[in-house]
């Protein structure tokens, strides 16, 4: 028989506010409710990253303040190791899980974080891949870290996804990262959609401050067309109209046409989500928000730990959503049509 020895007060912090609880004290053993897990997993990851930085002597005053705000005055290396091992095990299992079924749409985006390497502070690319499967559900498919974004880096990243079972990809949406287009053709045999938002930023840089609004409205008329052929014809008309006064912009439009308009060959119900990497914007914002607290990571493993935990949390959130990201009726009929093949590479 368990005998109580009074209670201790505990404040339970939730997203809806604070709840005052009374937890029984036991004369023998202890009792702690499972739902009072003091931090969610990504918050544990954040703690582990800061602790590791603190131990390795790379903390700043702001990190030190945060450590104190989390209620820690000091921590041993063995405690850090235990916490890190717990998080790493779950993150690794998530990032290396087999990918089942077909994934017609794949979004890839890069964010840049600072890390210490051999006594220097360097910037590394953190790549995140998100896909939609034939059930219309979104999932985080992969994470990788690299010093550059050249073709070998992208090829290795896509090969890892393929080895885990990625297949059936029809369209890959990303910014114009060097080497990615060639890697997509080599590994996935899929179409590449150049992020329309990023393209427009590049295009308007050639328009001058006074002409940006007019040029933006001109180019938008191509995006407003109902089918791929009409969009291409309007795109070329706009480029020809701009050519006399803005030859560099017109040349950029000529070069980018097949990549910026690739999404127009896919179902009209999907196009609002296919023309850019905007669907990853909220996720990238959360990654930036949490990693800014750390500033400079002590090593790449710490980046994987924190960003991987954030991605795992987001994936769980998507899994329990009632509504699909794309409806089954619109995902099912995506055709294997030659018109959706990758446009020829320029020599």
């Amino acid at each position: 028989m368990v005998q109580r020895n009074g209670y201790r007060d505990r404040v339970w912090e939730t997203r809806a506010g604070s709840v005052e609880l009374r937890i029984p004290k036991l004369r023998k053993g202890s009792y702690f409710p499972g739902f009072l897990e003091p931090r969610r997993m990504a918050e544990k990851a954040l703690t582990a990253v800061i602790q590791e930085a603190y131990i390795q002597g790379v903390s700043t005053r702001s990190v030190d303040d945060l450590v104190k705000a989390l209620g820690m005055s000091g921590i041993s290396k063995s405690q850090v190791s235990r916490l890190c091992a717990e998080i790493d095990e779950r993150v690794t299992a998530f990032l290396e899980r087999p990918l089942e079924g077909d994934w017609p749409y794949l979004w890839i985006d890069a964010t840049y974080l600072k890390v210490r390497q051999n006594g220097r502070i360097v910037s590394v690319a953190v790549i995140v891949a998100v896909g939609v499967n034939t059930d219309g559900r979104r999932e985080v498919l992969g994470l990788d870290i690299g010093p550059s974004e050249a073709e070998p880096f992208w090829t290795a990243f896509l090969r890892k996804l393929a080895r885990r079972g990625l297949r059936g990809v029809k369209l890959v949406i990303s910014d114009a990262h060097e080497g990615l287009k060639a890697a997509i053709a080599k590994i996935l045999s899929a179409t590449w959609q150049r992020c329309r938002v990023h393209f427009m930023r590049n295009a308007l840089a050639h328009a001058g401050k006074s002409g940006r609004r007019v040029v933006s409205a001109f180019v938008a008329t191509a995006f407003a067309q109902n089918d791929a052929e009409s969009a291409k014809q309007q795109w070329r008309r706009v480029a020809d109209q701009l050519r006399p006064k803005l030859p560099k912009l017109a040349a950029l439009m000529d070069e980018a046409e097949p990549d910026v308009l690739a999404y127009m060959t896919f179902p009209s119900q999907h196009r609002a989500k296919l023309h850019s990497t905007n669907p990853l914007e909220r996720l990238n914002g959360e990654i930036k928000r949490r990693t800014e607290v750390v500033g400079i990571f002590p090593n790449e493993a710490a980046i994987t730990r924190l960003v991987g935990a954030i991605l795992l949390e987001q994936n769980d959130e998507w899994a329990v959503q009632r509504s699909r990201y794309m409806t089954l009726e619109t995902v099912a009929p995506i055709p294997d049509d030659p018109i959706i093949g990758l446009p020829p590479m320029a020599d």
Side-chain angles (χ1 to χ4, degrees):
M1 181 177 177
V2 177
Q3 293 183 316
R4 289 196 300 268
N5 189 25
Y7 296 87
R8 57 192 172 96
D9 295 328
R10 171 70 183 264
V11 176
W12 182 28
E13 298 290 349
T14 73
R15 296 193 176 198
S18 300
V19 180
E20 293 184 2
L21 300 174
R22 301 185 72 201
I23 300 174
K25 294 180 180 178
L26 305 182
R27 291 182 181 177
K28 291 184 179 180
S30 62
Y31 171 73
F32 191 82
F35 66 84
L36 284 183
E37 180 68 24
R39 297 180 185 87
R40 297 172 74 212
M41 188 175 59
E43 288 158 347
K44 276 188 177 181
L46 176 58
T47 306
V49 170
I50 294 171
Q51 290 166 348
E52 187 168 342
Y54 189 89
I55 288 171
Q56 295 193 19
V58 297
S59 61
T60 62
R61 181 175 296 178
S62 60
V63 174
D64 210 30
D65 289 342
L66 181 56
V67 169
K68 290 172 184 173
L70 289 171
M72 297 177 290
S73 56
I75 189 164
S76 70
K77 286 188 177 182
S78 61
Q79 287 174 305
V80 173
S81 296
R82 282 198 298 272
L83 181 55
C84 291
E86 175 191 335
I87 297 165
D88 290 346
E89 187 177 340
R90 294 186 64 186
V91 168
T92 300
F94 168 64
L95 294 177
E96 295 181 357
R97 75 194 188 281
L99 302 176
E100 299 177 352
D102 287 352
W103 300 86
Y105 299 135
L106 182 68
W107 289 262
I108 299 176
D109 205 6
T111 246
Y112 296 89
L113 300 177
K114 294 188 183 301
V115 64
R116 290 185 181 268
Q117 288 182 355
N118 303 319
R120 296 169 53 242
I121 298 171
V122 299
S123 180
V124 293
V126 179
I127 309 300
V128 174
V130 169
V132 166
N133 60 22
T134 48
D135 285 334
R137 297 283 185 184
R138 255 190 309 182
E139 286 191 27
V140 175
L141 302 186
L143 165 70
D144 207 351
I145 300 168
S148 73
E149 296 179 54
E151 186 180 335
F153 173 76
W154 290 114
T155 299
F157 176 59
L158 294 178
R159 276 185 176 145
K160 285 179 193 174
L161 294 178
R163 280 196 295 268
R164 288 171 46 215
L166 180 67
R167 68 182 191 211
V169 179
K170 303 285 197 304
L171 184 68
V172 180
I173 305 101
S174 79
D175 192 9
H177 300 291
E178 184 183 348
L180 178 56
K181 182 176 177 180
I184 291 168
K186 186 187 299 182
I187 307 300
L188 300 178
S189 300
T191 305
W192 175 54
Q193 167 63 39
R194 181 174 181 174
C195 176
R196 203 173 84 182
V197 173
H198 287 94
F199 168 79
M200 287 303 296
R201 287 178 193 159
N202 295 337
L204 294 179
H206 296 290
K209 287 186 179 179
S210 60
R212 286 176 186 173
R213 185 172 295 181
V214 173
V215 168
S216 182
F218 269 11
V219 177
T221 60
F223 301 142
Q225 302 303 308
N226 292 324
D227 58 77
E229 190 55 38
S230 299
K232 289 176 184 177
Q233 291 175 8
Q234 181 61 16
W235 183 273
R236 291 166 189 171
R237 278 194 289 268
V238 171
D240 289 341
Q241 283 181 300
L242 296 173
R243 204 175 306 278
K245 291 187 177 180
L246 299 169
K248 288 184 179 178
L249 174 54
L252 178 63
M253 290 184 66
D254 293 340
E255 179 191 356
E257 178 195 313
D259 302 325
V260 178
L261 298 180
Y263 75 102
M264 292 294 294
T265 60
F266 288 83
S268 58
Q269 302 95 320
H270 301 173
R271 290 175 192 167
K273 295 172 180 175
L274 297 181
H275 64 65
S276 73
T277 55
N278 280 358
L280 295 188
E281 193 172 329
R282 181 174 172 271
L283 180 56
N284 279 335
E286 184 67 6
I287 291 171
K288 280 289 188 187
R289 184 182 71 81
R290 298 210 206 177
T291 55
E292 278 175 0
V293 176
V294 180
I296 302 168
F297 284 81
N299 51 49
E300 288 187 4
I303 295 177
T304 301
R305 182 177 304 123
L306 178 52
V307 177
I310 295 168
L311 296 178
L312 176 51
E313 280 188 357
Q314 180 61 75
N315 201 69
D316 288 346
E317 206 172 287
W318 286 340
V320 297
Q321 286 179 347
R322 289 187 178 182
S323 59
R324 289 177 167 85
Y325 189 62
M326 293 178 176
T327 61
L328 275 173
E329 295 77 13
T330 60
V331 174
I334 299 173
D336 289 310
D337 194 300
I339 194 172
I340 301 180
L342 189 76
M345 296 286 293
D347 292 330

